[in-house]
Amino acid sequence: MSEKCILVAEDEDALAYALKLKLNQAGFKVRLVTTGDDVLKALEEREYDLLLLDILMPGKNGFEVMEIMREKAYKTPVVISTNLSDDRDMALAKKLGAKAYLIKTDYSLDEIVEKIEKCLIKCD
């Protein structure tokens, strides 16, 4: 089995590097980006097994990124990782195709990795 590659879109440096470390320890390759525009650029360059996507980022927000991904028919599964806990945000993310919606303050790094692993199993 080849190593799964995760694209992590997170503009909070400390959290981004902590996620990268945890995901690397779990056996994943990780690419970090900090803006919605960087996400789209990365997706044009190669395929990823999963996108861990923050909603509030500089440039295009996570919802805009997901809308563009849908328009371009990208198949990369998306897991939202955000501090937005409004039901309307959750509903919009689901409508746009998010496989999971994680509120950062409710999950430890280990739990986020576990959710990603479960999503990858479902998505294969």
Side-chain angles (χ1 to χ4, degrees), residues 5-102:
C5 194
I6 311 291
L7 179 60
V8 175
E10 173 59 60
D11 63 333
E12 190 180 312
D13 287 344
L15 179 56
Y17 289 108
L19 281 166
K20 181 176 182 171
L21 182 64
K22 276 290 185 186
L23 288 164
N24 285 157
Q25 289 173 347
F28 298 107
K29 284 185 182 178
V30 177
R31 178 169 176 192
L32 297 177
V33 294
T34 57
T35 71
D37 295 316
D38 289 343
V39 171
L40 296 170
K41 195 179 302 178
L43 290 171
E44 286 174 17
E45 293 170 3
R46 65 159 291 172
E47 251 183 71
Y48 290 87
D49 295 294
L50 187 133
L51 167 59
L52 184 63
L53 180 64
D54 192 3
I55 292 176
L56 298 177
M57 299 179 291
K60 290 180 179 46
N61 68 39
F63 295 129
E64 292 168 318
V65 167
M66 290 183 71
E67 287 170 359
I68 292 167
M69 287 176 68
R70 180 194 263 179
E71 289 168 14
K72 293 189 174 196
Y74 289 137
K75 301 292 185 214
T76 305
V78 176
V79 172
I80 298 293
S81 172
T82 185
N83 284 319
L84 297 180
S85 59
D86 187 283
D87 288 341
R88 291 172 296 194
D89 293 326
M90 291 180 207
L92 178 56
K94 187 171 185 161
K95 179 182 173 191
L96 290 171
K99 302 297 181 197
Y101 192 100
L102 309 178

Side-chain angles (χ1 to χ4, degrees), residues 105-116:
T105 55
D106 293 350
Y107 290 88
S108 69
L109 290 175
D110 288 330
E111 290 171 321
I112 292 172
V113 170
E114 189 177 302
K115 288 283 188 183
I116 287 170

